[in-house]
Amino acid sequence: MELELEQFITYLREVKKSSNNTVVSYRRDLTKLNQYLQNQGIQSYEQVNETSLNSYILYLEKEGMAASTVSRNIAAMKAFMLFLLKNQFVTNDPTERIKSPKIDKKMPEILTIEQVNRLLELPATDNKKGMRDKAMLELLYATGIRVSELIGLKLQDVNLRSNYIICRSDVKERIIPFGVIAKKALSDYMNNAREELICELSTEYLFTNRSGQPMSRQGFWKLLKKYAKEVGIDGELTPRMLRHSFAAHLIAGGADIKAVQEMLGYSDISTAQIYMCTSNRKVRDVYVSTHPRA
Protein backbone atom coordinates (compact mmCIF):
# COMPACT_ATOMS: atom_id res chain seq x y z
CA MET A 1 0.00 0.00 0.00
CA GLU A 2 2.95 2.29 0.62
CA LEU A 3 4.12 1.83 -2.99
CA GLU A 4 0.82 3.08 -4.43
CA LEU A 5 0.87 6.05 -2.07
CA GLU A 6 4.37 7.02 -3.18
CA GLN A 7 3.29 6.78 -6.83
CA PHE A 8 0.37 9.09 -6.04
CA ILE A 9 2.67 11.60 -4.34
CA THR A 10 4.94 11.56 -7.39
CA TYR A 11 1.87 12.14 -9.58
CA LEU A 12 0.85 15.14 -7.48
CA ARG A 13 4.31 16.68 -7.73
CA GLU A 14 5.26 15.93 -11.31
CA VAL A 15 1.96 15.78 -13.19
CA LYS A 16 -0.53 17.83 -11.20
CA LYS A 17 2.14 20.32 -10.12
CA SER A 18 0.41 20.59 -6.76
CA SER A 19 1.75 23.00 -4.17
CA ASN A 20 4.15 21.69 -1.55
CA ASN A 21 1.53 22.32 1.15
CA THR A 22 -0.97 20.12 -0.70
CA VAL A 23 1.56 17.34 -1.19
CA VAL A 24 2.61 17.40 2.46
CA SER A 25 -0.95 17.41 3.80
CA TYR A 26 -2.12 14.64 1.42
CA ARG A 27 0.86 12.47 2.34
CA ARG A 28 0.18 12.96 6.05
CA ASP A 29 -3.56 12.30 5.76
CA LEU A 30 -3.20 9.24 3.54
CA THR A 31 -0.41 7.75 5.65
CA LYS A 32 -2.73 7.97 8.64
CA LEU A 33 -5.50 6.35 6.60
CA ASN A 34 -3.15 3.51 5.60
CA GLN A 35 -2.24 2.86 9.22
CA TYR A 36 -5.90 2.71 10.19
CA LEU A 37 -6.80 0.33 7.35
CA GLN A 38 -3.90 -1.99 8.12
CA ASN A 39 -4.93 -2.07 11.78
CA GLN A 40 -8.33 -3.24 10.52
CA GLY A 41 -6.68 -6.11 8.67
CA ILE A 42 -6.86 -4.51 5.22
CA GLN A 43 -3.71 -5.24 3.21
CA SER A 44 -4.59 -3.90 -0.25
CA TYR A 45 -6.68 -1.08 -1.67
CA GLU A 46 -8.83 -3.59 -3.54
CA GLN A 47 -10.17 -4.62 -0.12
CA VAL A 48 -11.18 -1.04 0.76
CA ASN A 49 -14.90 -0.35 0.53
CA GLU A 50 -17.31 2.43 1.42
CA THR A 51 -17.97 0.94 4.87
CA SER A 52 -14.30 0.88 5.84
CA LEU A 53 -13.83 4.48 4.73
CA ASN A 54 -16.94 5.66 6.57
CA SER A 55 -15.60 3.87 9.63
CA TYR A 56 -12.39 5.86 9.30
CA ILE A 57 -14.31 9.13 8.98
CA LEU A 58 -16.21 8.30 12.18
CA TYR A 59 -12.87 7.59 13.83
CA LEU A 60 -11.58 11.03 12.85
CA GLU A 61 -14.72 12.68 14.21
CA LYS A 62 -14.44 10.77 17.50
CA GLU A 63 -10.84 11.97 17.73
CA GLY A 64 -12.24 15.49 17.82
CA MET A 65 -11.10 16.52 14.35
CA ALA A 66 -12.64 19.75 13.06
CA ALA A 67 -15.07 19.51 10.15
CA SER A 68 -12.52 21.28 7.94
CA THR A 69 -9.87 18.66 8.80
CA VAL A 70 -12.27 15.79 8.12
CA SER A 71 -13.23 17.44 4.84
CA ARG A 72 -9.56 17.72 3.83
CA ASN A 73 -9.03 14.03 4.64
CA ILE A 74 -12.02 13.09 2.48
CA ALA A 75 -10.66 15.23 -0.38
CA ALA A 76 -7.34 13.37 -0.11
CA MET A 77 -9.17 10.01 -0.11
CA LYS A 78 -11.20 10.90 -3.19
CA ALA A 79 -8.19 12.14 -5.15
CA PHE A 80 -6.17 9.06 -4.20
CA MET A 81 -8.91 6.54 -4.99
CA LEU A 82 -9.56 8.19 -8.36
CA PHE A 83 -5.84 7.90 -9.10
CA LEU A 84 -5.90 4.20 -8.13
CA LEU A 85 -8.95 3.59 -10.33
CA LYS A 86 -7.49 5.34 -13.36
CA ASN A 87 -4.26 3.37 -13.01
CA GLN A 88 -6.16 0.08 -12.54
CA PHE A 89 -4.94 -0.55 -9.00
CA VAL A 90 -8.62 -0.93 -8.02
CA THR A 91 -11.75 -1.83 -10.00
CA ASN A 92 -14.18 0.57 -8.30
CA ASP A 93 -14.14 3.86 -6.40
CA PRO A 94 -15.36 3.40 -2.80
CA THR A 95 -15.45 7.18 -2.22
CA GLU A 96 -18.07 7.80 -4.90
CA ARG A 97 -20.96 8.27 -2.45
CA ILE A 98 -18.97 9.70 0.46
CA LYS A 99 -19.86 13.32 1.20
CA SER A 100 -17.78 15.90 3.01
CA PRO A 101 -19.26 17.44 6.18
CA LYS A 102 -20.82 20.86 5.82
CA ILE A 103 -18.42 23.55 6.93
CA ASP A 104 -19.78 26.80 8.22
CA LYS A 105 -17.62 29.59 6.89
CA LYS A 106 -16.31 31.71 9.73
CA MET A 107 -16.14 35.43 9.32
CA PRO A 108 -12.45 36.30 9.04
CA GLU A 109 -10.95 38.32 11.86
CA ILE A 110 -9.81 41.71 10.65
CA LEU A 111 -8.19 44.76 12.16
CA THR A 112 -9.57 48.27 11.96
CA ILE A 113 -7.66 50.87 9.98
CA GLU A 114 -6.69 52.56 13.22
CA GLN A 115 -5.22 49.30 14.57
CA VAL A 116 -3.33 48.68 11.34
CA ASN A 117 -1.94 52.21 11.32
CA ARG A 118 -0.76 51.94 14.92
CA LEU A 119 0.89 48.60 14.20
CA LEU A 120 2.66 49.75 11.05
CA GLU A 121 3.92 52.97 12.63
CA LEU A 122 5.43 51.14 15.60
CA PRO A 123 8.78 49.81 14.28
CA ALA A 124 11.57 52.29 15.00
CA THR A 125 13.20 53.27 11.71
CA ASP A 126 16.33 54.70 13.33
CA ASN A 127 17.90 51.23 13.47
CA LYS A 128 18.46 48.44 10.95
CA LYS A 129 16.15 45.87 12.53
CA GLY A 130 13.34 48.41 12.78
CA MET A 131 13.73 49.28 9.09
CA ARG A 132 13.45 45.59 8.21
CA ASP A 133 10.41 45.07 10.44
CA LYS A 134 8.72 48.17 9.02
CA ALA A 135 9.31 46.97 5.45
CA MET A 136 7.97 43.48 6.22
CA LEU A 137 4.81 44.72 7.93
CA GLU A 138 4.09 47.39 5.32
CA LEU A 139 4.57 44.92 2.47
CA LEU A 140 2.43 42.26 4.12
CA TYR A 141 -0.50 44.64 4.53
CA ALA A 142 0.07 46.40 1.19
CA THR A 143 -0.09 43.17 -0.82
CA GLY A 144 -2.03 40.63 1.28
CA ILE A 145 0.54 37.91 0.62
CA ARG A 146 0.94 34.88 2.87
CA VAL A 147 3.72 34.87 5.44
CA SER A 148 5.38 31.98 3.56
CA GLU A 149 5.38 34.14 0.42
CA LEU A 150 6.75 37.13 2.34
CA ILE A 151 9.75 35.29 3.76
CA GLY A 152 10.29 33.52 0.44
CA LEU A 153 10.68 36.75 -1.54
CA LYS A 154 14.00 37.24 -3.30
CA LEU A 155 15.62 40.45 -4.48
CA GLN A 156 14.70 39.67 -8.08
CA ASP A 157 11.02 39.48 -7.08
CA VAL A 158 10.85 43.17 -6.12
CA ASN A 159 10.43 45.94 -8.69
CA LEU A 160 10.75 49.28 -6.89
CA ARG A 161 10.59 51.27 -10.10
CA SER A 162 7.12 50.00 -11.02
CA ASN A 163 5.89 49.22 -7.47
CA TYR A 164 5.16 45.51 -7.65
CA ILE A 165 6.35 42.16 -6.36
CA ILE A 166 6.24 38.74 -8.01
CA CYS A 167 4.99 35.85 -5.89
CA ARG A 168 6.14 32.52 -7.28
CA SER A 169 4.83 29.02 -6.59
CA ASP A 170 5.19 25.57 -8.11
CA VAL A 171 2.05 26.14 -10.14
CA LYS A 172 1.91 29.81 -11.08
CA GLU A 173 3.18 33.27 -10.31
CA ARG A 174 1.25 36.44 -9.69
CA ILE A 175 2.18 40.11 -9.86
CA ILE A 176 0.94 42.24 -6.95
CA PRO A 177 1.24 46.03 -6.80
CA PHE A 178 2.03 48.01 -3.67
CA GLY A 179 1.65 51.66 -2.71
CA VAL A 180 4.05 54.50 -2.04
CA ILE A 181 4.30 53.95 1.73
CA ALA A 182 5.32 50.32 1.31
CA LYS A 183 7.71 51.42 -1.45
CA LYS A 184 9.42 53.90 0.86
CA ALA A 185 9.74 51.31 3.65
CA LEU A 186 11.19 48.77 1.21
CA SER A 187 13.57 51.30 -0.32
CA ASP A 188 14.82 52.42 3.10
CA TYR A 189 15.40 48.84 4.17
CA MET A 190 17.11 47.71 0.96
CA ASN A 191 19.33 50.79 0.69
CA ASN A 192 20.17 51.41 4.33
CA ALA A 193 19.73 48.23 6.37
CA ARG A 194 19.80 44.97 4.43
CA GLU A 195 23.52 44.93 3.62
CA GLU A 196 24.43 45.29 7.28
CA LEU A 197 21.88 42.68 8.39
CA ILE A 198 23.15 40.00 6.01
CA CYS A 199 26.57 40.29 7.69
CA GLU A 200 28.55 40.12 4.44
CA LEU A 201 26.91 36.80 3.60
CA SER A 202 25.69 36.16 0.10
CA THR A 203 21.92 35.59 0.01
CA GLU A 204 19.26 36.27 -2.58
CA TYR A 205 16.45 36.41 -0.01
CA LEU A 206 14.95 39.84 0.58
CA PHE A 207 14.45 39.54 4.33
CA THR A 208 16.92 37.99 6.75
CA ASN A 209 17.36 37.67 10.48
CA ARG A 210 20.17 39.38 12.39
CA SER A 211 22.50 36.50 11.56
CA GLY A 212 22.06 37.04 7.84
CA GLN A 213 20.01 33.87 7.39
CA PRO A 214 16.62 33.93 5.61
CA MET A 215 13.83 35.06 7.93
CA SER A 216 11.87 32.07 9.24
CA ARG A 217 8.12 31.79 9.70
CA GLN A 218 8.65 31.46 13.47
CA GLY A 219 10.92 34.51 13.50
CA PHE A 220 8.31 36.66 11.79
CA TRP A 221 5.53 35.41 14.08
CA LYS A 222 7.70 36.31 17.07
CA LEU A 223 8.26 39.89 15.93
CA LEU A 224 4.60 40.30 14.99
CA LYS A 225 3.53 39.09 18.43
CA LYS A 226 5.94 41.56 20.03
CA TYR A 227 4.58 44.53 18.10
CA ALA A 228 0.95 43.49 18.69
CA LYS A 229 1.59 43.46 22.42
CA GLU A 230 3.28 46.85 22.33
CA VAL A 231 0.47 48.42 20.35
CA GLY A 232 -2.19 46.94 22.63
CA ILE A 233 -4.06 44.72 20.15
CA ASP A 234 -6.23 42.32 22.13
CA GLY A 235 -6.00 38.60 21.40
CA GLU A 236 -3.50 36.86 19.16
CA LEU A 237 -2.48 38.77 16.05
CA THR A 238 -1.57 36.47 13.16
CA PRO A 239 -0.17 37.20 9.69
CA ARG A 240 -3.43 35.81 8.32
CA MET A 241 -5.33 38.62 10.06
CA LEU A 242 -3.29 41.17 8.12
CA ARG A 243 -4.08 39.26 4.92
CA HIS A 244 -7.79 39.29 5.80
CA SER A 245 -7.60 42.99 6.68
CA PHE A 246 -5.94 43.78 3.34
CA ALA A 247 -8.77 42.08 1.44
CA ALA A 248 -11.63 43.44 3.54
CA HIS A 249 -10.27 46.98 3.47
CA LEU A 250 -9.81 46.93 -0.30
CA ILE A 251 -13.33 45.65 -0.95
CA ALA A 252 -14.78 48.12 1.55
CA GLY A 253 -13.04 50.86 -0.38
CA GLY A 254 -14.67 49.78 -3.63
CA ALA A 255 -12.09 47.45 -5.13
CA ASP A 256 -13.28 44.87 -7.65
CA ILE A 257 -13.61 41.47 -5.99
CA LYS A 258 -12.06 39.73 -9.00
CA ALA A 259 -8.92 41.87 -8.68
CA VAL A 260 -8.72 41.09 -4.95
CA GLN A 261 -9.12 37.38 -5.71
CA GLU A 262 -6.21 37.50 -8.14
CA MET A 263 -3.96 39.40 -5.73
CA LEU A 264 -4.70 36.90 -2.96
CA GLY A 265 -4.02 33.98 -5.29
CA TYR A 266 -7.40 32.30 -4.81
CA SER A 267 -8.45 29.98 -7.62
CA ASP A 268 -12.16 30.34 -6.80
CA ILE A 269 -13.81 33.75 -6.53
CA SER A 270 -16.26 32.42 -3.92
CA THR A 271 -13.37 32.24 -1.45
CA ALA A 272 -12.93 36.00 -1.71
CA GLN A 273 -16.65 36.76 -1.49
CA ILE A 274 -16.67 36.32 2.29
CA TYR A 275 -14.87 39.66 2.54
CA MET A 276 -17.95 41.32 1.08
CA CYS A 277 -19.75 40.49 4.32
CA THR A 278 -17.09 42.05 6.50
CA SER A 279 -17.08 45.21 4.44
CA ASN A 280 -20.83 45.57 4.63
CA ARG A 281 -20.80 44.85 8.33
CA LYS A 282 -18.32 47.24 9.81
CA VAL A 283 -15.78 49.04 7.71
CA ARG A 284 -17.28 50.61 4.58
CA ASP A 285 -18.19 53.92 6.17
CA VAL A 286 -14.60 54.70 7.19
CA TYR A 287 -12.96 54.39 3.77
CA VAL A 288 -12.45 57.10 1.23
CA SER A 289 -10.07 55.28 -1.07
CA THR A 290 -9.39 51.75 -2.20
CA HIS A 291 -6.41 51.25 0.10
CA PRO A 292 -5.67 53.49 3.07
CA ARG A 293 -1.88 53.36 2.61
CA ALA A 294 -1.62 53.28 -1.17
Side-chain angles (χ1 to χ4, degrees), residues 75-114:
M77 273 185 214
K78 285 180 173 289
F80 185 38
M81 288 299 173
L82 185 60
F83 168 82
L84 294 177
L85 182 64
K86 286 183 175 179
N87 288 276
Q88 300 181 338
F89 290 112
V90 297
T91 55
N92 64 84
D93 180 3
T95 68
E96 196 170 8
R97 294 192 299 174
I98 292 177
K99 304 293 183 184
S100 294
K102 184 178 180 181
I103 302 174
D104 294 326
K105 285 190 177 180
K106 292 183 179 179
M107 296 298 292
E109 292 184 78
I110 66 169
L111 301 174
T112 65
I113 292 180
E114 194 234 345

Side-chain angles (χ1 to χ4, degrees), residues 17 25 28 43 52 54-55 76 110 114 137-138 141 178 204 224 228 249 275 279 283 290:
K17 304 294 183 184
S25 64
R28 181 180 60 244
Q43 299 301 320
S52 55
N54 276 322
S55 174
I110 66 169
E114 194 234 345
L137 291 172
E138 288 284 1
Y141 177 61
F178 54 79
E204 57 186 344
L224 184 60
H249 293 175
Y275 299 111
S279 64
V283 291
T290 297

Side-chain angles (χ1 to χ4, degrees), residues 90-226:
V90 297
T91 55
N92 64 84
D93 180 3
T95 68
E96 196 170 8
R97 294 192 299 174
I98 292 177
K99 304 293 183 184
S100 294
K102 184 178 180 181
I103 302 174
D104 294 326
K105 285 190 177 180
K106 292 183 179 179
M107 296 298 292
E109 292 184 78
I110 66 169
L111 301 174
T112 65
I113 292 180
E114 194 234 345
Q115 287 175 315
V116 170
N117 284 337
R118 284 193 286 123
L119 177 69
L120 299 188
E121 295 299 332
L122 195 58
T125 54
D126 59 353
N127 63 77
K128 310 302 181 186
K129 180 179 177 297
M131 288 183 189
R132 180 205 64 192
D133 295 352
K134 170 81 169 172
M136 293 185 81
L137 291 172
E138 288 284 1
L139 190 61
L140 194 66
Y141 177 61
T143 60
I145 58 177
R146 302 172 179 89
V147 65
S148 58
E149 294 171 330
L150 178 74
I151 63 177
L153 284 173
K154 298 178 180 178
L155 289 174
Q156 67 191 49
D157 299 327
V158 181
N159 189 315
L160 282 177
R161 182 184 295 274
S162 300
N163 294 26
Y164 69 80
I165 59 171
I166 301 175
C167 273
R168 308 177 193 274
S169 70
D170 296 336
V171 182
K172 59 184 177 181
E173 64 180 43
R174 63 190 196 280
I175 296 175
I176 310 171
F178 54 79
V180 294
I181 297 178
K183 178 178 181 176
K184 183 180 185 308
L186 269 174
S187 181
D188 287 346
Y189 161 69
M190 294 172 72
N191 294 329
N192 303 314
R194 184 178 179 275
E195 186 173 345
E196 185 173 316
L197 285 173
I198 65 176
C199 305
E200 299 183 355
L201 297 175
S202 177
T203 178
E204 57 186 344
Y205 285 96
L206 177 62
F207 297 112
T208 72
N209 58 26
R210 285 180 288 186
S211 301
Q213 301 300 319
M215 173 67 69
S216 67
R217 181 190 295 264
Q218 293 79 7
F220 181 76
W221 274 65
K222 186 176 179 180
L223 73 86
L224 184 60
K225 185 177 180 179
K226 167 184 171 292

Side-chain angles (χ1 to χ4, degrees), residues 41-57:
I42 295 173
Q43 299 301 320
S44 73
Y45 290 112
E46 192 61 51
Q47 295 176 272
V48 176
N49 56 35
E50 185 177 329
T51 301
S52 55
L53 292 180
N54 276 322
S55 174
Y56 179 64
I57 293 168

Side-chain angles (χ1 to χ4, degrees), residues 141-143 246 249-250 253 287 289-294:
Y141 177 61
T143 60
F246 158 84
H249 293 175
L250 277 177
Y287 288 92
S289 63
T290 297
H291 195 285
R293 300 178 71 83

